[in-house]
Amino acid sequence: MQSILSVDGLFGGYLYRKPVIRNLSFTVEKGEMVGLVGLNGAGKSTTIKHILGLMVPEQGEIRVNGVTLSEDAGLYRSSLAFVPESPELYEELTIREHLDLTARVYGIDRQAFEERAERLMALFRMKEKAGSFSRHLSKGMRQKVMLMNAFLIEAPLYVIDEPFLGLDPLGIRSLLELMASFKEKGCSFLISSHILATIEKYCDRYVVLERGEMAAGGTLDDICRQAGLPTGASLDDAFFRLVGGGEGGGL
């Protein structure tokens, strides 16, 4: 079965021949949620930038929905939706206008747009704010607008960087429920997050980065085994061991 995302032997960074990412390989399958975890500076953001096509690999290959960016840029880009850590909105547009613009760019028909927009605004409790300009919103509300725009698309692959940052408890719950429902439809997720206890409950597999290399990968049981811990240990404990914080740890 074709992976929705395939990263194979990736080397890349900001300076030629000084790669931040070294020999990174992993996949995200259809209907799968994969957690990308690591300390600050481990290479998570650099990996995401390569997947989005914002950086060109020095070596290796990235495929989204079976194609590389150079083979079919249209299919590649339309197959993924990205939610950044920091909300980026148009100050002169209202919430509803942001959603309308996204629908027009992605060719979503009017009936589908109305149904999806209504459902998303209700889920994130933003219906009363639909006519508000983004400059008048709190950071948490701005993050919700970014999430609503991404989920309006119903893309095959979602790449989400620190999805819970700035959200209130109800917002986090709404997002988790939304991701679970999209996952059931066959959508896939690559989630970068420091909140390990939360993603442990939802992710199928994990990629643990340490200094630009894969320290461990696989299911939670796989991660625990690679960390030298018994089955049933938490992701937090395994991560702590793998990045050198525990006895016998170490990369």
Side-chain angles (χ1 to χ4, degrees):
M1 184 176 66
Q2 177 180 285
S3 302
I4 187 64
L5 171 65
S6 173
V7 177
D8 185 19
L10 176 64
F11 287 77
Y14 301 90
L15 297 174
Y16 183 62
R17 295 194 177 181
K18 290 186 178 180
V20 174
I21 300 298
R22 295 179 295 278
N23 199 29
L24 179 61
S25 297
F26 67 90
T27 62
V28 178
E29 308 300 330
K30 182 178 180 181
E32 186 177 43
M33 196 174 292
V34 174
L36 182 65
V37 299
L39 297 174
N40 292 333
K44 302 187 302 299
S45 294
T46 305
T47 299
I48 289 174
K49 287 177 181 177
H50 278 87
I51 293 170
L52 297 177
L54 300 177
M55 299 181 72
V56 179
E58 189 173 310
Q59 186 177 324
E61 183 180 78
I62 300 173
R63 290 184 175 272
V64 173
N65 219 355
V67 300
T68 65
L69 184 60
S70 61
E71 289 173 348
D72 191 335
L75 176 59
Y76 187 104
R77 295 190 186 282
S78 65
S79 296
L80 64 84
F82 172 57
V83 181
E85 177 180 349
S86 299
E88 299 176 3
L89 302 175
Y90 295 104
E91 297 294 318
E92 67 276 14
L93 296 184
T94 66
I95 292 175
R96 186 169 183 84
E97 287 170 342
H98 274 94
L99 294 171
D100 185 73
L101 177 62
T102 298
R104 292 175 185 275
V105 169
Y106 281 86
I108 300 170
D109 70 70
R110 202 67 197 174
Q111 182 177 349
F113 162 68
E114 295 290 350
E115 292 174 354
R116 295 177 192 180
E118 186 74 12
R119 185 170 62 248
L120 288 166
M121 283 193 287
L123 179 66
F124 285 104
R125 296 170 174 80
M126 296 289 282
K127 292 180 71 172
E128 294 182 358
K129 294 284 187 179
S132 299
F133 289 97
S134 61
R135 63 176 175 270
H136 298 147
L137 303 177
S138 67
K139 183 178 180 180
M141 288 183 177
R142 291 168 66 88
Q143 184 70 357
K144 289 179 181 180
V145 177
M146 293 293 294
L147 290 165
M148 289 191 297
N149 275 276
F151 283 97
L152 184 75
I153 301 167
E154 298 192 355
L157 172 65
Y158 283 86
V159 179
I160 308 181
D161 191 7
E162 295 295 346
F164 314 116
L165 196 64
L167 294 181
D168 57 38
L170 287 177
I172 292 173
R173 185 180 182 88
S174 296
L175 174 56
L176 290 170
E177 290 175 354
L178 188 61
M179 290 193 298
S181 67
F182 270 56
K183 186 172 178 287
E184 288 179 0
K185 296 177 184 178
C187 296
S188 306
F189 293 84
L190 178 66
I191 302 173
S192 173
S193 178
H194 287 126
I195 307 178
L196 303 185
T198 299
I199 66 170
E200 180 179 338
K201 297 177 183 178
Y202 290 86
C203 288
D204 302 292
R205 292 189 296 118
Y206 308 89
V207 175
V208 181
L209 292 182
E210 169 68 355
R211 298 177 185 175
E213 298 180 346
M214 183 182 285
T219 65
L220 181 56
D221 286 347
D222 294 332
I223 299 295
C224 290
R225 183 169 57 253
Q226 292 167 60
L229 295 176
T231 299
S234 69
L235 178 61
D236 188 73
D237 288 340
F239 177 75
F240 188 65
R241 176 71 67 88
L242 285 163
V243 300
E247 183 181 354
L251 284 180

